[in-house]
Amino acid sequence: MKMKAILAAAALTLVGTAPAYAADSVTLNFYHTQLPFMQSILEGFKKAHPEITINDQAPAANYSAGDQSVIRGMMTGSAPDVYLASYSSLPTIAGVMKDRGEAQSLDPMLAKEGNDWQTANYAPAILDLAKIRGEQYAMPFTASLPLLYVNKELVEKAGGNVDRFPTTWDGVIDLAAKISKLGNGVQGIGFSVGGLSDDWYWQMMVMGAGDQMLDAKNSGIGYDDKGGLEALRITQDMAVKTGMSVYADPKPAQQQFFAGKIGMVVESPSDLVAYETAIGDRFTMRTVRFPLIDAKKGGLPAGGNALMVLAKDAAKRAAAWEFVKYMTSAAVQAEVSRASGYMPVNVQTAKALEGFYAEHPNFQTVFKSMNAAMPWFAYPNNTADDVWKGVAPILDQLQRGKITPDAALPKIREHVAGVMAAQ
């Protein structure tokens, strides 16, 4: 759905419905990774719903640690009532719930609110991010798509224009090469595709080429074709043709960008506030859309997280639903967006943030890519780490110019097929 149509659908305000549980106090255990804006939001919920106590558990170090803790909790009866899971974690956790006969989707709760309420608050494309085989097992809380963070002054010195930024990767690579020629230790781009702890960067390239991470049978890669080769070609060109430093971690490139020594880096909009704070007045930072390799078929994996209701008790589930509605309301989503840069998941939030967006145009860029949003691919049977441990070093060697795209593809094909065959 186009963004204008989404905003036009927001004709109703988010009004909390009367709780479906008794007036007795209900306590919910809430588990999540560390988020700097969470405390103030929970304080707001406490004022709005004094009958519901949120026990904010010690945050997980990362999503992987949180997932493992939740799964262990399911086995021992100590799982939280509400868990803020990454989109890539949802299929695994829902699968465990189904295996234990404890799976309960949120579809009945949404249906009870009515279609008008649902349409007024949530776009179908956003809800789809947290669906598993067509069922709503979670409600999106934050959403992000990759952006290019750009140093405006370096782009202009190289003869470019941020307002007419290249829309193809070849154009971006050409501009980055010109920035690298400015000298004084400046580099055009920082995008080490194999340098993350997961394959989000690589999913951007594969999905951007119109391909899938695995084939229909989950037996091997879904990009053993021209699209996959093109993704590998561009991944190499952006490094080799621009003289890019290849790192095993994104932090060095981030620090160099903050210092005004890199023309552009790839980031989530959730880091906007942190980047603006770190840069200060050193230079003007702008955000631009992440290019798609295939403009017609390509898509981008949405990052972020979603609220899962794991409580089995009816009163707790009803209270948890009130909590979910509050967390995904226009007012709270506006607070989250202002504090981080995440794209709001409630369609009414854009109107609430009109003034803010006018003063902070960088926060609007992500909306322009929403038609390309796709669910972050989740590998079956918790095999994501095993897949990535073999693919990341190949991409590292590719960007260092030590292996060609034609040689990299069969290596990736063989590794992934081996992981899938062993599951």
Side-chain angles (χ1 to χ4, degrees), residues 8 23 64 98 115 144 159 196 208 255 260 262 277 400 412:
S64 179
K98 285 193 173 186
N115 288 332
S144 65
L196 276 187
Q255 294 302 317
I262 291 184
T277 301
R400 293 179 188 275
I412 294 174

Side-chain angles (χ1 to χ4, degrees), residues 36 129 191 218 255 418:
L129 298 178
F191 187 25
N218 285 344
Q255 294 302 317

